[in-house]
């Protein structure tokens, strides 16, 4: 009698369910069983989990029961761990494999953690932080000695940040213990597939040789419809349309069984939830809200309702972007531009999350120009033009944390550890000077801190580096991880029920008795004490109250989508009958063409105009908000260096504006010089006060490196305390150890994160190839108006002042635009009064 192979049993299980394995799944199973590692790329809902999981399972079905950990499943979010664990458990019983699948995250109970500390099951679902913690115990090598495979879910969410580097370092440790270890990553939305694979597998020759990228040829059917505003307006400004369409959004919600309504920020989520409740109070019990600042218990309750299908609509942020399979979800609504192609792909996959099902997305623009952003995102998505994720290089704060972790977990020798570290993509170029600095940092605290025992964490005993102080060991284990956030203020009722967290900067401005809206409730602040805001429900007769804002409240347009928008605008005259968004935008573009120019992709439009506020220049590179912030500030600096003046800078995703009482009009040659990439680093450092920015960034670097402690469970530190500690440390290093590599890292991170140095430089080099088209306009154009409104809003003392000034300007512009309603007065598209 021939015993069926593990794969035969897997295929039989598929047949029992009336499934047929996709070609990419079969390819992954064969590659895994051949000893290969790699990256699996397929649209959401097509079976990436089973592709990765059933390879190890099929092997296990062919060998005697193994003891200890066989498969490690890494997930980027604790919230995904439960669903991942259930997905992995589902086929085991029917396949006849007696494997326990357990979970270990920061949310695990003390009992669960104690059990796992004693013994690992055959399969474990965990996060990068919990894996790093597991490596910090002396018996780690023994526990991981039988490991066959590591599977990293949603790898794109880790690639390009410090958690991804932490994962790289942990994988290097596991490979050193298990040379035949197979590592697989899963991703649905990433542009640089092969690079993403190489980062995951490391730079070792053996890893590269066995690495494969397997992509699905099956296409996920995605339908993106945009809700067209009834009154589009001729001069769009940010956010003015969204809630006007709330009634029509409700109609769409009622047509579907379950809807996820995504916004781009937590503040927008609170606003939209309240808007929908106020519009239909009779349906309030059918609505729920989900975002990262709500209490875990609140979020879990919402997720349970989604799984059960007993909630009509959940208003949410990116907290529900990733891989949780909520089968009842029939449609996704995206409020505001998706800002990126990968984001709309990811969110689309939340509906129809199963093979063969269609994913449906309804786009709700918050200003008219977002119509073209939805159209551009749809076209780019169809062409699979997804954003790339750039991997990090040499984050030394993560390295020194990891070295301390490994020194705790049995210790390390220098030569072997250096080879292990250099086997990662992030540290493949680590030089001897940087390595010796890292060892000196963990053993002596570096040049400045050598007199302080608390910073001498690791000692060298013969050839082995270890942690021998129990107090240092406890502190390090409590602070492992790279996630840094502003200290959160807990919002609680007097009875102890926790609603979630808000930022200290928000709650500190509200006095006792003041009102705010949070977690979908109107709340009154009773008192704020020891990082806790005690609240009670506000009386209905009272006013609405403020809505919290969180750091990072505005999502920037990705470079890929910004370029797609520019091309889409230029193609508007050729819009077909099916391109409803562009056709709806045509009245606005007609005015833009009449008063200025709708720029082609190879053109750089610069508009000049004057008002009672002074002279204005509007520049439209279409490169995204973050690039325009740096570019506008740089241009203003270079202008004032040549001729002293006060210049106000405003920016959005399409361009930037300069406003001054002085004349800021210059010729084309001067613009070429202003936009030149020559001396870019020196000029940016001078105009952006990078010293102070780096000083603030140092707080995160110092926290990850273990120089400052963010607090202990139940004893968090406030933002002011943390900033004071890290600022003092920064000043000491700057004065007595100016060559400290953590200072250099802080400066480098500021250049890349806040100033988008690489992207800014690439944009400036690209602008040098574009044709500059300067246009003097008699009034603000539709493209310029949103930038002007940003400036009015930032300078207005009150909301009333802003509203009044905005209304006056809108009335003037709309009156001037009236004569274009006559077809005989319409311009030839693309015409301009260029000078």
């Amino acid at each position: 009698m021939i015993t069926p192979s593990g794969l035969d049993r897997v295929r039989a299980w598929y047949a029992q369910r009336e499934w047929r394995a996709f070609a990419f799944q079969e390819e992954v199973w064969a590659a895994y069983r051949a000893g290969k590692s790699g990256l699996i790329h397929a649209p959401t809902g097509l079976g990436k989990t089973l592709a990765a999981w059933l390879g190890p399972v099929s092997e296990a079905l062919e060998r005697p029961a193994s003891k200890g950990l066989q498969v490690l499943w890494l997930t980027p979010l604790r919230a995904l761990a439960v669903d991942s664990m259930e997905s992995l458990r589902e086929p085991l019983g029917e396949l006849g494999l007696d494997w326990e699948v357990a979970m270990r995250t920061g949310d695990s109970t003390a009992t669960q953690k104690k059990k796992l500390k004693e013994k690992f099951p055959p399969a474990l679902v965990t996060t990068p932080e919990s894996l790093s913690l597991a490596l910090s115990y002396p018996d780690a090598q023994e526990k991981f000695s039988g490991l066959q495979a590591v599977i990293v879910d949603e790898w794109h969410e880790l690639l390009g940040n410090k958690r991804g580097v932490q994962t790289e370092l942990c994988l290097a440790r596991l490979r050193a213990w298990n040379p035949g270890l197979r590592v697989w990553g899963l991703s649905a939305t990433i542009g640089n597939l092969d690079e993403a694979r190489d980062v995951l597998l490391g730079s070792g020759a053996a890893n590269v040789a066995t690495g494969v990228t397997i992509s699905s040829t099956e296409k996920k059917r995605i339908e993106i419809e945009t809700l067209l505003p009834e009154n589009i307006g001729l001069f769009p400004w940010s956010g003015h349309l969204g809630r006007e369409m709330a009634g029509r959004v409700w109609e769409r919600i009622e047509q579907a069984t379950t809807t996820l309504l995504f916004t781009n920020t937590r503040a927008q989520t609170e606003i939209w939830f309240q808007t929908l409740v106020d519009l239909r109070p009779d349906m309030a019990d059918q609505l729920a809200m989900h975002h990262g600042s709500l209490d875990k218990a609140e979020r879990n309750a919402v997720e349970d309702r989604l799984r059960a299908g007993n909630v009509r609509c959940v208003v949410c942020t990116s907290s529900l972007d990733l891989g949780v399979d909520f089968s009842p979800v029939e449609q996704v609504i995206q409020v505001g531009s998706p800002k990126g192609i990968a984001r709309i792909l990811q969110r689309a996959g939340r509906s129809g999350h199963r093979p063969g099902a269609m994913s449906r997305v309804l786009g709700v623009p918050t200003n008219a120009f977002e119509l073209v952003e939805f159209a551009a995102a749809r076209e780019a998505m169809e062409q699979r033009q997804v954003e790339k994720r750039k991997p990090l290089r040499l984050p030394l704060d993560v390295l020194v944390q990891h070295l301390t972790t490994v020194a705790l977990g049995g210790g390390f020798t220098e030569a072997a550890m250096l080879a292990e570290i250099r086997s990662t993509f992030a540290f493949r170029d680590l030089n001897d000077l940087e390595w010796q600095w890292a060892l000196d940092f963990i053993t002596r605290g570096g040049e400045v801190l050598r007199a302080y025992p608390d910073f001498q964490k690791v000692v060298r005993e013969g050839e082995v580096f270890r942690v021998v102080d129990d107090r240092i060991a406890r502190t390090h284990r409590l602070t492992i991880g790279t996630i840094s956030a502003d200290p959160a203020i807990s919002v609680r009722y007097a009875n102890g029920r926790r609603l979630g967290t808000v930022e200290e900067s928000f709650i500190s401005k509200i006095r006792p008795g003041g009102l705010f809206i949070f977690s979908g409730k109107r709340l009154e602040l009773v008192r704020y004490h020891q990082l806790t805001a005690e609240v009670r429900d506000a009386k209905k007769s009272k006013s609405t109250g403020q809505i919290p804002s969180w750091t990072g409240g505005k999502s920037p347009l990705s470079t890929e989508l910004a370029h797609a928008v520019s091309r889409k605008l230029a193609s508007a005259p050729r819009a077909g009958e099916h391109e409803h968004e562009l056709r709806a935008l045509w009245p606005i573009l007609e005015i833009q063409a009449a008063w200025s120019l709708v720029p082609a992709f190879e053109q750089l439009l610069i508009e000049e105009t004057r008002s009672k506020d002074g002279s204005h220049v509007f520049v439209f590179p279409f490169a995204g908000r973050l690039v325009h912030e740096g570019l506008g500030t740089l241009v203003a600096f270079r202008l004032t260096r040549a001729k002293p003046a006060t210049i106000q800078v405003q920016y959005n995703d399409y361009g930037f504006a300069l406003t001054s009482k002085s004349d800021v009009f210059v010729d084309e040659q001067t613009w070429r010089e202003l936009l030149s990439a020559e001396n870019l680093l020196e000029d940016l450092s001078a105009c952006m006060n990078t010293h102070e920015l780096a000083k603030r960034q140092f707080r995160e670097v110092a926290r990850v490196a273990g120089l400052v402690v963010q607090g202990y469970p139940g004893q968090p530190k406030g933002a002011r305390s943390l900033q004071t500690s890290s600022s003092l440390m920064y000043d000491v290093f700057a004065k007595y150890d100016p060559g400290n590599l953590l200072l250099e890292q802080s400066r480098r991170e500021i250049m890349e994160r806040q100033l988008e140095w690489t992207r800014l430089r690439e944009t400036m080099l690209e602008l040098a190839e574009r044709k500059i088209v300067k246009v003097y306009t008699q009034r603000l154009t539709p493209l310029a108006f949103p930038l002007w409104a940003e400036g009015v809003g930032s300078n207005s003392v009150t909301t009333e002042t802003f509203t009044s000034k905005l209304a006056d300007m809108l009335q003037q512009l709309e009156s001037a635009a009236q004569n274009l309603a006559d077809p005989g007065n319409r311009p030839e598209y693309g015409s301009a009064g260029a000078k």
Side-chain angles (χ1 to χ4, degrees):
M1 180 178 178
I2 300 174
T3 303
S5 71
L7 273 185
D8 289 336
R9 292 168 68 176
V10 166
R11 294 186 185 109
W13 178 69
Y14 262 63
Q16 288 172 11
R17 294 197 159 204
E18 298 183 347
W19 293 352
R20 181 180 59 82
F22 289 119
F24 85 92
Q25 293 176 319
E26 291 275 6
E27 192 177 349
V28 172
W29 298 337
Y32 177 85
R33 291 167 64 90
K36 294 184 177 296
S37 298
L39 181 69
I40 305 169
H41 178 248
T44 300
L46 283 184
K48 292 189 298 298
T49 297
L50 290 178
W53 176 234
L54 294 181
V57 167
S58 69
E59 273 194 352
L61 289 170
E62 298 172 2
R63 62 173 182 254
S66 303
K67 294 182 179 180
L69 182 64
Q70 304 294 302
V71 180
L72 186 67
W73 190 281
L74 281 181
T75 175
L77 288 182
R78 289 182 290 183
L80 294 180
V82 173
D83 293 273
S84 298
M85 182 173 64
E86 294 303 323
S87 296
L88 301 186
R89 284 174 175 172
E90 185 179 359
L92 297 182
E94 295 178 39
L95 285 168
L97 183 61
D98 185 21
W99 265 15
E100 178 191 357
V101 182
M103 176 184 75
R104 202 301 184 190
T105 73
D107 290 337
S108 299
T109 65
T111 302
Q112 291 169 331
K113 291 176 182 177
K114 182 179 179 182
K115 180 181 177 182
L116 290 171
K117 192 174 178 181
E118 295 170 355
K119 181 184 177 183
F120 281 163
L124 179 66
V125 179
T126 192
T127 60
E129 291 77 20
S130 291
L131 172 57
S132 190
L133 179 63
L135 295 178
S136 75
Y137 290 97
D139 62 348
Q141 184 171 2
E142 179 185 349
K143 282 187 173 181
F144 287 102
S145 61
L147 187 64
Q148 300 293 309
V150 178
I151 299 164
V152 186
D153 202 0
E154 308 285 5
W155 171 233
H156 57 274
E157 286 297 319
L158 295 171
L159 181 65
N161 58 49
K162 290 183 181 180
R163 296 183 75 213
V165 176
Q166 182 182 19
T167 303
E168 288 183 60
L169 290 168
C170 289
L171 290 175
R173 176 100 292 222
L174 295 176
R175 286 193 193 96
W177 291 338
N178 305 280
L181 184 69
R182 286 159 285 182
V183 177
W184 286 83
L186 279 60
S187 179
T189 52
I190 197 166
N192 49 332
L193 288 175
D194 288 344
E195 184 178 40
R197 177 202 65 210
D198 293 345
V199 175
L200 178 69
L201 303 188
S203 59
N207 303 337
V208 173
T210 62
V212 294
T213 301
I214 298 177
S215 295
S216 164
T217 56
E218 290 79 11
K219 288 189 176 181
K220 179 76 173 177
R221 293 185 300 154
I222 300 176
E223 178 184 275
I224 298 181
E225 177 191 355
T226 308
L227 197 62
L228 300 180
E230 293 175 356
N231 179 17
I232 198 169
L234 297 176
F235 298 91
W237 51 279
S238 180
H240 75 291
L241 278 180
R243 285 189 288 170
E244 291 182 8
M245 294 190 285
R248 295 169 63 195
V249 168
W250 251 122
E251 292 174 7
R252 292 303 188 94
I253 290 172
E254 290 186 292
Q255 291 171 15
T257 53
T258 305
T259 297
L260 292 182
L261 188 151
F262 282 102
T263 73
N264 290 333
T265 69
R266 285 167 281 184
Q268 282 184 321
T269 297
E270 294 278 352
I271 291 169
W272 264 86
F273 179 83
Q274 203 61 49
T275 298
L276 293 174
V277 168
D278 290 346
L279 198 63
R280 292 288 304 276
D282 59 308
M283 294 287 286
D285 62 337
Q286 289 295 303
L287 288 174
M289 179 165 46
H290 194 289
H291 64 70
S293 290
L294 297 179
D295 186 63
K296 175 177 170 284
E298 300 273 330
R299 285 181 276 125
N300 285 348
V302 172
E303 291 167 23
D304 289 341
R305 292 182 67 188
L306 269 172
R307 291 186 190 93
N310 62 9
V311 60
R312 182 59 66 92
C313 175
V314 178
V315 187
C316 56
T317 62
S318 55
S319 58
L320 285 182
D321 268 4
L322 296 182
V324 184
D325 180 4
F326 299 122
S327 297
V329 174
E330 187 176 339
Q331 74 172 343
V332 165
I333 296 178
Q334 168 66 43
V335 173
S337 164
K339 299 298 183 182
I341 302 148
R343 173 176 281 184
I344 195 68
L345 270 172
Q346 190 76 46
R347 292 182 173 179
R350 297 301 95 220
S351 68
H353 195 284
R354 57 192 180 278
M358 177 181 284
S359 295
R360 291 183 171 86
V361 180
L362 177 68
V364 181
T366 62
N367 76 65
F369 279 123
E370 287 185 344
L371 288 169
V372 75
E373 293 182 32
F374 278 111
R378 181 198 295 118
E379 184 173 287
M381 182 186 67
E382 290 170 353
Q383 297 173 1
R384 307 300 293 178
Q385 295 173 346
V386 182
E387 291 88 359
K388 297 178 180 180
R389 300 289 180 105
K390 183 181 177 183
L392 287 188
R393 290 183 62 255
L394 297 173
L396 296 175
D397 54 345
V398 184
L399 175 60
V400 295
Q401 183 188 102
H402 180 72
L403 290 177
T404 306
T405 298
V406 175
L408 263 172
F412 65 86
T413 58
E414 182 175 348
M417 196 67 212
L418 177 57
E420 184 179 313
I421 297 298
R422 284 178 174 164
S423 74
T424 66
F425 191 95
F427 295 101
R428 60 182 179 173
D429 297 324
L430 182 75
N431 62 42
D432 291 342
L433 180 65
E434 292 161 336
W435 171 246
Q436 290 303 322
W437 176 89
L439 289 181
D440 185 61
F441 182 86
I442 62 174
T443 55
R444 294 196 312 146
E447 193 64 34
V448 172
L449 301 174
R450 57 186 175 182
Y452 300 92
D454 282 355
F455 299 105
Q456 298 166 13
K457 299 180 179 182
V458 178
V459 298
R460 183 168 185 166
E461 295 180 338
E463 295 299 314
V464 181
F465 291 80
R466 305 181 189 277
V467 174
V468 296
D469 188 315
D470 289 341
R471 183 176 56 83
I472 288 174
R474 284 194 302 271
T475 299
H476 181 77
R477 288 190 177 114
L478 286 170
T479 56
I480 280 177
T482 63
I483 301 174
S484 295
D486 286 337
I489 305 305
S490 179
V491 179
R492 298 176 183 267
Y493 285 119
N495 64 7
R497 181 189 167 194
R498 189 172 182 270
L499 295 177
T501 60
V502 295
E503 290 186 358
E504 191 174 25
S505 58
F506 169 78
I507 204 69
S508 61
K509 296 174 184 175
I510 298 179
R511 296 187 176 187
L515 306 182
F516 65 101
I517 292 176
F518 178 65
S519 190
K521 302 173 178 61
R522 290 182 172 91
L523 303 172
E524 178 183 335
L525 179 65
V526 177
R527 68 170 187 158
Y528 169 43
H529 181 63
Q530 292 184 344
L531 301 183
T532 298
E534 185 181 315
V535 299
R536 59 185 170 214
D537 290 328
K539 295 179 180 178
K540 291 185 179 179
S541 60
K542 293 195 173 184
S543 60
T544 299
Q546 301 178 56
I547 289 179
S549 59
W550 285 267
T551 302
K554 291 190 176 180
S555 304
L557 206 63
S558 72
T559 300
E560 289 80 0
L561 187 52
H563 286 173
V565 165
S566 179
R567 291 189 178 95
K568 205 69 179 170
L569 280 173
S571 72
R574 303 182 299 278
E577 289 292 330
H578 65 289
E579 295 185 273
H580 307 295
E581 296 96 345
L582 291 183
R583 295 173 68 83
L585 202 64
W586 181 242
I588 296 173
L589 297 181
E590 282 185 318
I591 298 171
Q592 179 66 34
W595 293 357
S596 173
L597 172 78
V598 178
F601 181 71
E602 64 274 6
Q603 294 174 321
L604 174 64
L605 173 62
I606 300 175
E607 294 181 354
E608 301 171 340
T609 192
R610 287 188 170 88
S611 74
K612 61 182 180 181
D613 296 321
S615 60
H616 307 268
V617 176
F618 302 94
V619 186
F620 300 100
F622 287 89
R625 184 182 188 89
L626 294 179
V627 167
H628 294 151
E629 177 184 5
L631 196 55
T633 306
L634 177 68
V635 168
F637 169 75
R638 287 176 170 177
L639 273 171
T640 56
R641 183 171 57 185
K643 180 182 176 182
T646 300
I647 300 178
Q648 178 189 349
V649 182
Q650 295 299 331
Y651 44 87
N652 63 16
D653 281 320
Y654 295 176
F656 64 90
L658 307 176
T659 301
S660 178
K661 294 293 184 183
S662 305
D663 193 336
V664 288
F665 300 162
V666 296
D667 59 26
E668 180 178 336
Q669 180 55 40
T670 304
W671 270 112
R672 293 287 181 197
E673 295 168 2
L674 292 172
L675 296 170
S676 170
E678 189 175 348
N679 298 320
L680 176 58
L681 185 59
E682 296 86 343
D683 287 353
L684 268 182
S685 298
C687 71
M688 296 293 285
N689 193 3
T690 52
H691 173 79
E692 284 303 316
L693 291 174
K695 195 171 185 178
R696 292 195 63 81
Q697 181 64 23
F698 184 73
R699 182 175 81 183
E700 176 189 317
V701 172
R703 211 285 301 164
V704 173
L707 288 173
V708 297
V709 178
Q710 192 157 326
Y712 301 102
Q715 299 176 322
K717 289 185 178 180
R720 200 169 299 167
S721 172
L722 273 175
Q723 191 59 44
T724 300
S725 301
S726 61
S727 293
L728 179 61
M729 194 80 70
Y730 183 94
D731 289 338
V732 170
F733 284 161
K735 185 174 181 179
Y736 299 106
D737 186 15
N740 190 291
L741 296 184
L742 295 182
L743 297 183
E744 176 56 32
Q745 182 183 329
S746 299
R747 299 183 191 109
R748 189 170 69 243
E749 288 184 3
I750 278 295
M751 297 304 291
E752 284 297 344
R753 287 190 184 186
Q754 186 153 339
L755 305 182
E756 292 257 337
W757 156 260
T758 302
R759 190 171 158 190
L760 175 59
R761 185 173 182 276
E762 289 172 353
T763 298
M764 296 178 79
L765 292 174
E766 180 197 322
L767 292 179
E769 302 299 319
R770 290 198 204 176
K771 177 184 177 182
I772 291 179
V773 182
K774 285 177 71 242
V775 181
Y776 182 83
T777 64
Q778 296 297 326
R779 55 189 67 85
L780 297 174
T781 66
L783 278 176
F785 179 75
L787 283 165
W788 175 87
E790 290 265 2
V792 173
S794 63
N795 289 328
S796 295
V797 177
T798 65
T799 303
E800 290 76 13
T801 305
F802 168 66
T803 303
S804 173
K805 196 166 184 178
L806 196 70
D808 289 346
M809 180 60 76
L810 275 172
Q811 184 178 10
Q812 294 175 37
L813 295 176
E814 287 171 354
S815 295
Q818 286 305 311
N819 68 332
L820 286 177
D822 181 352
N825 292 329
R826 291 182 179 177
E828 191 71 28
Y829 190 92
S831 65
K835 292 186 178 180

